[in-house]
C-alpha cells in the first residue's frame, strides 16, 4: 500500500512539471506597481491682518422737522385737496378745504347784521344822545353781532387746512371729494427739506443691541461716502405704552450726516456701515475653511501633503473671513471645505 502511494506521488510531480505554462528557462513576471492618485487641495494661508465686525443696511433720508396737518373738528365733508406729494409749499398756503358753503353764507348774513346794528347805534347817538338805556341796548346788539361774526369767521377759517411751515409735501391722504372727515386724522404732511436725517429699519432687533448713540457711521449716497453718527438707538429710547411706536423704536436707528449731499434728499436711499468691532494684526482665515460638528470647531490643515484636523477657537468675523484666537499659526495652510 505504501509502495503504491509513493509511485502515485512521483507521477503527480512529473505531470505538474510537464504542464507548466511558462517555456523552459523563463521566470514569472512581477505584478505592475500602481502609483497612488495624488490629491489636490484648495488651500488658503493663515495670515495676519485687520478684520472688522460691521453692521450694514439701507437707510432713507427723512426730514427731522415734519408737520402732520389735520382738521380739528369732525363732521365736515371734504371739498378738495389742493396739493400732491412732492409739491413745495409756503407757510400760509391752503392745502385742503372742507365744504364751507353754509359758513360762507352765514358769515355774509352776519356781516349785514353787524352793519345794521352799528348803523342803528350811531343813529341813536346822533338823534337821542340822552336816551342812555336805548344806546346801551343798541351797543350790546353791536357787540353780540360782532362776536357772532368772529365765531362764524373762525369756523370758516377752520374749513381750510393751512401750511404751518415752508417745505415739501411728503404725504397726502386718500380722502376723496365728499368724504366725511374725522377730527385729528392726518390729511397732509409737510417736511422741511433743509433739516434731513437718515432712518434705518432692521428686521432683527438683536442686531442693534450693541449700537450706541454717538457711534460713527459711514454713509454711501450717490456713489460718495459721507461721515455720520448715531442720533438714536433702541438703547437710548425710553419705553412707551404705544406698542406700534415701541416696535418702531426697537428696530430703527436715526443717523445724522455731518455734511449732507446736495439736492433734494427726502425719500432717497443710502447705504450705511457701522463698525462695531475692529481688530488689527489678527490671525485671519476664510470662513469656508471652518467646520463645526457636535460642538467642535475645527479646520483641516495641509502638512507635507497630508490632511490634518485641528481644533480652533474663533473671534469676530466679517462677510468672508474670521479671526482665529487659538489653534493656528501664521503661514499654515488651511483646506477649504
Amino acid at each position: 500500500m505504501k509502495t503504491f502511494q509513493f509511485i502515485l506521488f512521483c507521477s503527480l510531480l512529473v505531470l505538474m512539471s510537464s504542464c507548466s505554462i511558462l517555456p523552459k528557462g523563463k521566470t514569472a513576471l512581477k505584478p505592475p506597481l500602481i502609483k497612488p492618485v495624488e490629491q489636490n487641495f484648495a488651500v488658503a494661508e493663515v495670515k495676519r491682518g485687520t478684520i472688522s465686525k460691521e453692521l450694514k443696511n439701507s437707510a432713507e433720508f427723512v426730514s427731522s422737522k415734519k408737520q402732520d396737518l389735520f382738521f380739528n373738528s369732525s363732521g365736515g365733508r371734504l371739498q378738495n385737496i389742493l396739493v400732491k406729494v412732492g409739491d413745495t409749499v409756503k407757510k400760509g398756503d391752503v392745502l385742503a378745504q372742507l365744504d364751507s358753503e353754509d359758513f360762507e353764507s352765514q358769515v355774509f348774513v352776519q356781516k349785514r347784521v353787524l352793519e345794521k346794528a352799528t348803523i342803528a347805534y350811531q343813529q341813536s347817538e346822533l338823534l337821542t344822545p340822552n336816551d342812555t338805556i336805548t344806546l346801551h341796548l343798541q351797543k350790546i346788539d353791536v357787540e353780540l353781532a360782532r362776536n357772532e361774526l368772529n365765531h362764524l369767521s373762525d369756523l370758516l377759517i377752520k374749513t381750510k387746512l393751512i401750511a404751518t411751515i415752508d417745505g415739501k409735501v411728503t404725504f397726502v391722504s386718500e380722502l376723496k371729494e365728499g368724504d366725511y372727515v374725522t377730527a385729528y386724522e392726518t390729511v397732509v404732511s409737510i417736511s422741511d427739506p433743509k433739516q434731513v436725517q437718515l432712518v434705518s429699519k432692521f428686521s432683527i432687533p438683536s442686531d442693534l443691541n450693541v449700537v450706541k448713540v454717538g457711534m460713527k457711521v459711514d454713509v454711501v449716497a450717490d456713489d460718495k461716502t459721507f461721515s455720520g453718527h448715531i442720533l438714536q438707538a433702541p438703547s437710548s429710547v425710553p419705553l412707551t405704552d404705544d406698542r406700534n411706536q415701541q416696535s418702531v423704536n426697537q428696530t430703527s436707528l436715526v443717523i445724522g450726516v455731518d455734511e449732507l449731499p446736495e439736492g433734494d434728499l427726502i425719500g432717497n436711499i443710502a447705504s450705511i456701515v457701522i463698525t462695531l468691532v475692529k481688530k488689527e494684526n489678527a490671525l485671519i482665515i476664510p470662513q469656508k475653511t471652518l467646520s463645526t460638528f457636535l460642538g467642535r470647531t475645527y479646520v483641516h490643515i495641509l502638512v507635507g501633503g497630508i490632511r490634518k484636523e485641528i481644533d480652533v477657537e474663533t473671534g469676530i468675523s466679517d462677510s468672508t473671513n474670521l479671526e482665529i484666537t487659538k489653534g493656528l499659526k501664521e503661514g499654515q495652510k488651511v483646506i477649504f471645505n
Side-chain angles (χ1 to χ4, degrees):
M1 183 67 180
K2 290 181 178 181
T3 302
F4 175 76
Q5 290 177 344
F6 176 75
I7 295 172
L8 180 60
F9 177 72
C10 291
S11 299
L12 289 172
L13 288 176
V14 173
L15 181 63
M16 289 176 64
S17 64
S18 64
C19 294
S20 174
I21 60 174
L22 293 174
K24 191 175 181 179
K26 299 291 185 178
T27 59
L29 296 174
K30 295 181 180 180
L33 296 176
I34 300 176
K35 186 179 181 180
V37 178
E38 183 177 349
Q39 287 187 287
N40 293 319
F41 298 103
V43 298
E45 185 177 342
V46 181
K47 296 181 179 181
R48 288 196 177 274
T50 300
I51 186 169
S52 300
K53 183 178 181 181
E54 299 174 334
L55 189 60
K56 299 180 180 181
N57 202 21
S58 60
E60 181 181 1
F61 283 103
V62 301
S63 176
S64 58
K65 184 179 181 181
K66 187 179 80 165
Q67 293 286 326
D68 295 327
L69 303 176
F70 45 80
F71 292 102
N72 292 321
S73 59
S74 298
R77 296 285 177 178
L78 183 68
Q79 180 174 322
N80 52 24
I81 297 178
L82 303 173
V83 294
K84 62 183 182 298
V85 172
D87 285 353
T88 299
V89 297
K90 296 291 185 181
K91 182 178 180 179
D93 287 350
V94 178
L95 309 176
Q97 51 191 10
L98 302 177
D99 185 357
S100 60
E101 184 176 351
D102 289 344
F103 289 126
E104 290 174 351
S105 176
Q106 291 177 50
V107 167
F108 175 80
V109 170
Q110 192 60 34
K111 284 181 178 180
R112 303 288 80 81
V113 171
L114 175 60
E115 183 180 3
K116 183 179 179 181
T118 302
I119 292 172
Y121 175 69
Q122 292 172 344
Q123 186 177 32
S124 296
E125 280 187 314
L126 292 173
L127 299 178
T128 56
N130 296 325
D131 190 352
T132 57
I133 295 178
T134 300
L135 287 173
H136 182 66
L137 292 174
Q138 289 178 334
K139 187 176 181 180
I140 291 175
D141 289 340
V142 172
E143 292 174 350
L144 290 175
R146 182 177 289 111
N147 286 340
E148 182 62 17
L149 177 60
N150 290 337
H151 174 65
L152 291 173
S153 296
D154 287 342
L155 292 177
L156 180 59
I157 291 173
K158 289 179 180 179
T159 64
K160 302 180 187 299
L161 197 62
I162 308 297
T164 55
I165 60 172
D166 296 346
K168 178 180 178 181
V169 176
T170 51
F171 170 80
V172 174
S173 169
E174 295 183 354
L175 287 170
K176 305 297 182 184
E177 180 180 348
D179 285 351
Y180 178 84
V181 175
T182 303
Y184 308 111
E185 178 183 345
T186 300
V187 178
V188 176
S189 294
I190 303 174
S191 299
D192 185 347
K194 297 179 181 179
Q195 301 186 42
V196 179
Q197 58 193 14
L198 284 166
V199 173
S200 183
K201 299 180 180 179
F202 291 76
S203 58
I204 304 175
S206 60
D207 287 346
L208 306 180
N209 288 345
V210 297
V211 180
K212 306 297 180 184
V213 170
M215 293 181 78
K216 294 182 178 180
V217 183
D218 290 328
V219 178
V220 180
D222 296 330
D223 298 324
K224 296 180 180 179
T225 301
F226 302 86
S227 297
H229 57 280
I230 302 296
L231 296 175
Q232 177 182 301
S235 60
S236 68
V237 181
L239 295 177
T240 174
D241 293 333
D242 187 334
R243 291 186 177 181
N244 291 333
Q245 186 60 48
Q246 182 70 14
S247 176
V248 170
N249 292 343
Q250 294 302 311
T251 56
S252 302
L253 294 176
V254 179
I255 301 157
V257 183
D258 298 336
E259 294 184 8
L260 288 170
E262 296 180 356
D264 186 0
L265 298 175
I266 294 178
N268 289 359
I269 303 299
S271 298
I272 63 167
V273 180
I274 306 169
T275 300
L276 303 176
V277 183
K278 184 177 182 179
K279 291 188 177 182
E280 298 179 352
N281 199 35
L283 284 177
I284 300 172
I285 65 170
Q287 288 192 23
K288 291 184 178 180
T289 62
L290 187 74
S291 300
T292 56
F293 183 70
L294 295 178
R296 287 184 59 216
T297 302
Y298 60 93
V299 297
H300 291 99
I301 65 171
L302 193 62
V303 181
I306 299 174
R307 184 187 187 106
K308 184 178 178 182
E309 189 173 287
I310 295 181
D311 288 336
V312 296
E313 295 181 8
T314 62
I316 64 173
S317 62
D318 58 22
S319 59
T320 57
N321 298 319
L322 55 86
E323 176 195 16
I324 296 296
T325 58
K326 185 177 180 181
L328 291 177
K329 295 180 180 179
E330 183 178 3
Q332 289 182 303
K333 299 290 193 295
V334 287
I335 301 173
F336 282 93
N337 294 326

